[in-house]
C-alpha cells in the first residue's frame, strides 16, 4: 500500500515546471510534424534543352518555391543541358517546327537561321531584363529547389557530373522520379 498522498509527491516525480516544459516541447514537435504533412509538393520533368524550353521548368520551379512548395525537377536527355554550367549559357532556339516563330519552316531550315533566331531571343531577353538561365538555376537552388540529373542519361550522353551546377543531385534514376511524382500534388512534364 502506497503512502503517497496528493500533498506528498514522490521524490522521483517531475515537478510542475518540468511537466510544463515537456508539454511545450511535445506541442512544438507535434506542430512541426503536422506542418510537414501540409507541405505542398511539385514535381517537374524537364526533357528539352533548347533556350525556349529551359525557361518553363525554371520559372515554374522558382515560382512554386516562392509559394513554399517543395519542388523537384528531374532533368533527362537534353534537359541535362540546363544543369550543365557551360552548355546552359549557350542554349539554342530552333527556328524549325515552332509555329510561333516569325519565319516559315522552309526559311527556318536555311543554314544559320537557328543562330539568328537564338540571337534575336537573347536580345529580347536582355532588353526585357529577363533573368538568364544561369540566374534562374542559381536562384532556384538558393530557394531549395532540388534539381536532379538522370543517371542513365548522364551515362548515355557521357556527361561529366563535375560540369553541373553546384547543388545538382546526380545519380537519380527513373524509379526515384516516379516516387517523387507519386507523392507530389502537382506533376508536370516539360
Amino acid at each position: 500500500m502506497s503512502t503517497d498522498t496528493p500533498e506528498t509527491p514522490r521524490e522521483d516525480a517531475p515537478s510542475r515546471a518540468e511537466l510544463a516544459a515537456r508539454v511545450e516541447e511535445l506541442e512544438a514537435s507535434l506542430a512541426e510534424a503536422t506542418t510537414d504533412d501540409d507541405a505542398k509538393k511539385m514535381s517537374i520533368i524537364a526533357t528539352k534543352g533548347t533556350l525556349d524550353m529551359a525557361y518553363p521548368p525554371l520559372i515554374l520551379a522558382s515560382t512554386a518555391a516562392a509559394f513554399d512548395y517543395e519542388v523537384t525537377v528531374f532533368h533527362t536527355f537534353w534537359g541535362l543541358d540546363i544543369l550543365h554550367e557551360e552548355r546552359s549559357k549557350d542554349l539554342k532556339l530552333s527556328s524549325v517546327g515552332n509555329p510561333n516563330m516569325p519565319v516559315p519552316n522552309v526559311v527556318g531550315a536555311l543554314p544559320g537561321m537557328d543562330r539568328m533566331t537564338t540571337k534575336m531571343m537573347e536580345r529580347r531577353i536582355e532588353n526585357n531584363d529577363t533573368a538568364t538561365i544561369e540566374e534562374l538555376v542559381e536562384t532556384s537552388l538558393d530557394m531549395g529547389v532540388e534539381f536532379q540529373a538522370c543517371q542513365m542519361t548522364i551515362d548515355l550522353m557521357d556527361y561529366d557530373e563535375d560540369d553541373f551546377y553546384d547543388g545538382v543531385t546526380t545519380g537519380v534514376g527513373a524509379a526515384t522520379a516516379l516516387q517523387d511524382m507519386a507523392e507530389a500534388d502537382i506533376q508536370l512534364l516539360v
Side-chain angles (χ1 to χ4, degrees), residues 56-150:
L58 295 174
I59 291 169
L60 290 167
S62 60
T63 302
F67 283 104
D68 294 324
Y69 275 78
E70 180 183 322
V71 183
T72 304
V73 186
F74 180 75
H75 294 258
T76 188
F77 282 82
W78 305 118
L80 284 181
D81 284 351
I82 299 168
L83 302 179
H84 191 280
E85 281 192 78
E86 291 306 313
R87 292 180 186 179
S88 67
K89 295 173 187 167
D90 194 33
L91 299 178
K92 305 286 185 243
L93 179 68
S94 177
S95 56
V96 176
N98 186 341
N100 291 323
M101 288 303 293
V103 294
N105 279 338
V106 75
V107 174
L110 293 173
M113 286 303 292
D114 284 351
R115 187 172 39 255
M116 187 181 84
T117 56
T118 298
K119 290 297 177 197
M120 286 172 42
M121 182 57 77
E122 288 172 342
R123 206 168 318 134
R124 195 172 246 195
I125 288 167
E126 185 178 325
N127 291 343
N128 195 44
D129 202 26
T130 300
T132 64
I133 299 300
E134 180 181 16
E135 291 168 335
L136 284 171
V137 168
E138 290 175 357
T139 298
S140 296
L141 285 166
D142 290 344
M143 296 174 79
V145 172
E146 182 179 3
F147 289 118
Q148 299 175 339
C150 174

Side-chain angles (χ1 to χ4, degrees), residues 1-5 8 10:
M1 187 165 170
S2 173
T3 58
D4 287 340
T5 63
T8 57
R10 295 186 352 229

